[in-house]
Amino acid sequence: MKLLFLACLNPNTGNHTTAERIRSHIESAGHTCELRDATEFQSPAEVANLVSRNPPFEGALAIHLFRAGRLLLDIQVPFGVIFGGTDINEDVKVEQKRVIMEQVLLKARFAVAFTDKLKEEAELFLLSQSSKIYVQPQGIQTEATEKFCWAEFLRSSGVSSEHVDELRVFLLVCGLRRVKDPLYLVEVFSEWHCENPLNVLVIIGPKIDPVLSVEVEAVAKSRGLFGPGEEPTGASCCHEKVLRCGQQLHLRGHVSSHLGGHGSRGTCVGQGHSRKCSCGAA
C-alpha cells in the first residue's frame, strides 16, 4: 500500500520525532510511506492533486486534525488522523478551527489518541465519534552512548557527585519553547528539592526559542540554579537542578507524558517513578 503521511515537521519537535517513528514502522511492515511537511501545502486541493497522481496514493495519515488533517478533506481515498496535544489544548478553543476539526473527524476512517485523557477530551469538545477513536500509548526508547558515564554527566552539569548513586533523577526531555515552557515546573521542583536534596530535575533538549531559553536560565540563576557549563559554588549547591542543552544522551521516540501545551500546569510534578542511575546507565 502507498500512503501519504502529513505532519508539521519542525526540527527538534515531538511531532517530527513521532512522524518519523510511525513512518519507519509503516515501511517495516512492507508498505510505502511518503512523509511530507503539512506546511508545504496551501489548500486541500493541492493535496488532492498529489494523491491522484500516477501511481496514486491508496490512503493517507495525518498528525493534528487542524494543522494537517484539514488538508485531507478533498481526497478520495480513506485516511486516518492522530490527535496532537495542540488540537485539544489550543485549536479546539477557536470556533473556526473546531468546526474544521469536526469535519475531519467525521470523514476520517479512524482517529488515534495517545492517552485515555486525550480521547475523553476529544469526545467532550468535538462531535462524539468515540467509535472511531482508538487509544494507542506512545513509547520511548533510550540508549546511552558507548562512552557515556552517568556520574560524569551529572558532575559536568553541576550536580555534586557525593551521592550520585542515591539521587532520584527526573529527566524532562523538552525543547525550550513557549508552548513547552518549563519555568513553573522549575519553580515548584525547587521547593521539593529543598525538602529532599536527592530529588534532582534534569531538563535536556534543544534551545528552540532562544529568547525563552535566556529567560529560563535567568530564572534558574535567580533561584540559585545554574545554567549549562556552570559549576555551582556556595549557596547554589543546595539547589541542584540542572538546565542542560547537551547531546550526551541519544533519545528516540517521544515522551508521552510531555507537558502538552498550555492548560496542563501543575499536572506533571512528581508523577514519574524514581530510579537510581549509576555510571554508564541512563
Side-chain angles (χ1 to χ4, degrees), residues 178 181-185 187 259-269:
R178 291 292 174 186
D181 185 358
L183 280 176
Y184 76 94
L185 180 60
E187 294 171 354
L259 308 182
H262 303 298
S264 60
R265 289 178 176 271
T267 62
C268 297
V269 177

Side-chain angles (χ1 to χ4, degrees), residues 150 154 158-160 163-172 185-203 224-226 236-243 269-277:
W150 181 246
L154 292 176
V159 178
S160 65
H163 305 288
V164 167
D165 290 338
E166 300 177 21
L167 292 175
R168 287 182 288 272
V169 181
F170 292 80
L171 180 65
L172 172 61
L185 180 60
V186 170
E187 294 171 354
V188 173
F189 200 97
S190 177
E191 299 174 3
W192 193 27
H193 171 80
C194 287
E195 296 175 4
N196 187 341
L198 295 179
N199 295 326
V200 177
L201 172 65
V202 176
I203 299 176
L225 315 183
F226 41 89
S236 63
C237 288
C238 71
H239 294 283
E240 296 177 294
K241 279 75 63 188
V242 186
L243 294 167
V269 177
Q271 291 182 358
H273 295 285
S274 61
R275 181 186 183 93
K276 293 183 179 180
C277 297

